[in-house]
Amino acid sequence: MPALTPDTIRTLTETLADLTEYLREDPDPAEALALVEPLLDEYTGLPVQLADTLRALARAVQDHPATPRTAQVDLLITELRTAAWELADQHTLHYALDDLRDLYGASPVSEEGCCWCR
């Protein structure tokens, strides 16, 4: 795996911003759906990935030997984990994909079938 840097993560967020701008330009709904589908995948979509990232950050902070053991740090770790749970709850957005596919006659991106039909 290539080394991650703040610049590589910034590129990722810029790509997401580009997608948002593109969607604001009123593209064909089927094309828009195809672009957004990977973001809402039940297992690998943004809500799940960001939740996992926040949990990993909380663990890294908590387990680091230089982290002070204070009530303030405990609260910060709890806030990260709470945010992770709230984000993970958004994984159900993938159900909206079913309705959008029905509306626009689109099929799942994967040839194997969508993630919840395998």
Side-chain angles (χ1 to χ4, degrees), residues 34-109:
L35 291 171
V36 173
E37 276 183 309
L39 299 177
L40 299 181
D41 182 85
E42 180 179 12
Y43 301 107
T44 61
L46 272 177
V48 173
Q49 292 297 324
L50 189 52
D52 286 347
T53 299
L54 289 176
R55 279 190 287 273
L57 175 60
R59 188 177 318 108
V61 169
Q62 182 178 29
D63 293 347
H64 196 276
T67 298
R69 306 297 179 214
T70 65
Q72 183 180 6
V73 171
D74 288 345
L75 180 61
L76 177 60
I77 290 167
T78 299
E79 288 175 4
L80 288 170
R81 290 185 173 143
T82 299
W85 277 110
E86 291 171 1
L87 282 165
D89 282 345
Q90 300 305 311
H91 80 279
T92 58
L93 285 170
H94 75 272
Y95 293 117
L97 292 176
D98 286 337
D99 295 335
L100 288 168
R101 282 188 198 106
D102 290 344
L103 184 62
Y104 292 104
S107 61
V109 173

